[in-house]
């Protein structure tokens, strides 16, 4: 089968960012399928703004066009990047022959090239929902214009209606889609969360020397490796660090990444007197460098601001932590909180950070038998439910059910 993977932010392990599409595409190739990826790059040495460059990576043909994008960009500039890629990728996709298109959001506009490919070339598509657009962006106030909101909701419905299959990345996303569009239910054949790429974390690595990096040997250490964005809620980490410093100065927090609020987080930590005391901020790293950092810390973490619609997220940070065999710290409810509690693989903070919150968390960090058990539980959960093998097998099942009429038959939601 010839598969075209449509993903605006496709990343390789040597780059910064999530590698779900790369990891899955490699598995598809391994299963005997031909895979092409249509994507963007922010590197002018790879491609130009007006022409496509095709580079083969591990059996995957990756079609690049230069379209810069970053968390530090304003919303209007991001929207322009979305529409620019939508236009260029539509033309490119219509030129490429394939049996199925796998379109992965965000943004929601990624579904438009797939729609046109179906309407004009009769090629079925699978729509992967990484974030429920436009519900999430409306909730955070990124799109306030009522006309645009209604237009995006219409587009969302149209994309679901025409998809051969819809793949949400969490049970909460599935619930959101079905509550708003009940007719989409029969098309959700699998929920396929983000991937705990065990092979990457099982490789022999030399842990980062924290004594060298921080200037002393910390005790219990929490790692955040991700974006410093408006929705990530890293102010809560700073608040927690300031309160726990008074209780246990060896309890440290390490933040790795880039984003529009990075400097603001640094300034907040400075103002509270904890920057480079028990809270440290470093630049982002590649996916290949992550295992060494996780090997050196006590737990990983994932945070979001206090907006319920964001609880449905399927953050890479959550799965990377499990793959590393470490507990996860989060500050919100939703499916991840239920998983942490039910599987005993981490700690759920309340949304409001108080002295009581800080004391309870410090007590948790000192429970060595519990920590050891949670490390074991995390690895077992990653292997049984979130491995690359599990995710790719579910996708291969969907591909196997595709029929000439562009529908998936005799498939049931799991």
């Amino acid at each position: 089968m010839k598969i075209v993977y449509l993903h605006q932010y496709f990343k390789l392990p040597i780059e910064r960012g999530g590698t779900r599409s790369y990891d899955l595409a490699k598995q598809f190739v391994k299963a005997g399928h031909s895979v092409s990826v249509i994507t963007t790059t922010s590197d002018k040495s790879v491609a130009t703004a007006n022409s496509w460059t095709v580079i083969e990576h591990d059996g995957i043909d990756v079609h690049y066009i230069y379209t810069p994008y970053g968390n530090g960009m304003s919303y209007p500039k991001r929207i322009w990047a979305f529409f620019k890629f939508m236009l260029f990728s539509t033309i490119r996709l219509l030129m490429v022959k394939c049996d199925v298109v796998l379109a992965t959001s965000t943004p929601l506009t990624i579904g438009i090239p797939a729609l046109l490919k179906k309407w004009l070339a009769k090629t079925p598509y699978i729509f992967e929902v990484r974030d429920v657009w436009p519900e999430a962006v409306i909730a955070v106030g990124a799109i306030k214009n009522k006309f645009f909101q209604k237009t995006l909701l219409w587009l969302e419905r149209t994309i679901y209606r025409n998809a051969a299959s819809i793949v949400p990345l969490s049970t909460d996303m599935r619930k959101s889609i079905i509550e708003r569009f009940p007719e989409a239910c029969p098309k959700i054949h699998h929920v396929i969360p983000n991937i705990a790429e065990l092979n990457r974390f099982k490789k022999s690595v030399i842990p980062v020397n924290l004594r060298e990096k921080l200037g002393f040997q910390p005790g219990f250490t929490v790692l955040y490796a991700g974006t410093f964005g408006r929705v990530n809620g890293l102010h809560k980490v700073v608040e927690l660090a300031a309160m726990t410093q008074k209780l246990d100065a060896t309890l440290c927090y390490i933040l790795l990444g880039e984003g529009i609020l990075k400097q603001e987080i640094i300034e907040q930590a400075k103002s509270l007197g904890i920057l480079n005391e028990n809270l440290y901020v470093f630049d982002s790293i590649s996916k290949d460098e992550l295992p060494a950092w996780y090997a050196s810390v006590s737990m990983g973490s994932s945070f979001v601001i206090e907006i319920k619609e964001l609880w449905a997220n399927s953050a890479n940070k959550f799965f990377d932590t499990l793959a590393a065999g470490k507990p996860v710290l989060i500050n919100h409810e939703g499916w991840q909180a239920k998983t942490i509690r039910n599987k005993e693989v981490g700690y759920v903070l309340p949304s409001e950070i108080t002295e009581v919150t800080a004391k309870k968390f410090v007590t948790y960090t000192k429970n060595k038998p519990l920590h050891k058990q949670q490390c074991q539980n995390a690895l077992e959960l990653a292997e049984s439910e979130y491995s690359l093998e599990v995710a790719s097998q579910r996708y291969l099942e969907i591909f196997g059910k595709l029929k000439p009429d562009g529908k998936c038959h005799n498939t049931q939601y799991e």
Side-chain angles (χ1 to χ4, degrees), residues 230-245:
R230 298 190 189 281
V231 302
N232 298 108
L234 294 182
H235 293 92
K236 295 294 183 180
V237 183
V238 180
E239 292 175 20
L240 180 65
M243 290 189 179
T244 60
Q245 186 192 36

Side-chain angles (χ1 to χ4, degrees), residues 192-205:
I192 307 178
N194 256 323
I195 296 164
E197 224 300 66
L198 292 150
N199 293 328
R200 186 170 291 129
F201 284 88
K202 282 181 177 178
K203 291 179 181 177
S204 179
V205 298

Side-chain angles (χ1 to χ4, degrees), residues 96-158:
V96 177
K97 291 184 178 180
C98 61
D99 299 303
V100 63
V101 175
L102 173 50
T104 182
S105 68
T106 58
L108 181 65
T109 48
I110 203 80
I112 293 177
L115 268 173
L116 293 174
K117 182 74 169 179
K118 180 192 175 182
W119 289 341
L120 297 177
K122 309 300 182 185
T123 304
Y125 68 88
I126 298 164
F127 190 69
E128 182 177 81
V129 183
R130 294 189 180 219
D131 284 304
V132 183
W133 273 48
E135 183 183 50
V137 289
I138 292 173
V140 301
I143 298 177
K144 297 178 180 178
N145 184 286
K146 296 296 183 183
F147 172 76
F148 285 136
Q149 288 180 5
K150 290 180 179 179
T151 300
L152 288 173
L153 287 167
W154 171 83
L155 176 60
E156 182 185 20
R157 182 187 293 273
T158 303

Side-chain angles (χ1 to χ4, degrees), residues 108 111 114-115 118-119 124-127 129 152-167 177 180-189 405-408:
L108 181 65
L115 268 173
K118 180 192 175 182
W119 289 341
Y125 68 88
I126 298 164
F127 190 69
V129 183
L152 288 173
L153 287 167
W154 171 83
L155 176 60
E156 182 185 20
R157 182 187 293 273
T158 303
I159 290 170
Y160 294 156
R161 183 175 292 166
N162 286 273
S165 183
I166 302 165
V167 179
I177 293 169
R180 294 176 299 115
F181 307 106
E183 66 275 19
C185 184
K187 295 187 176 186
I188 302 178
H189 307 110
D405 61 1
K407 297 180 180 179
C408 284

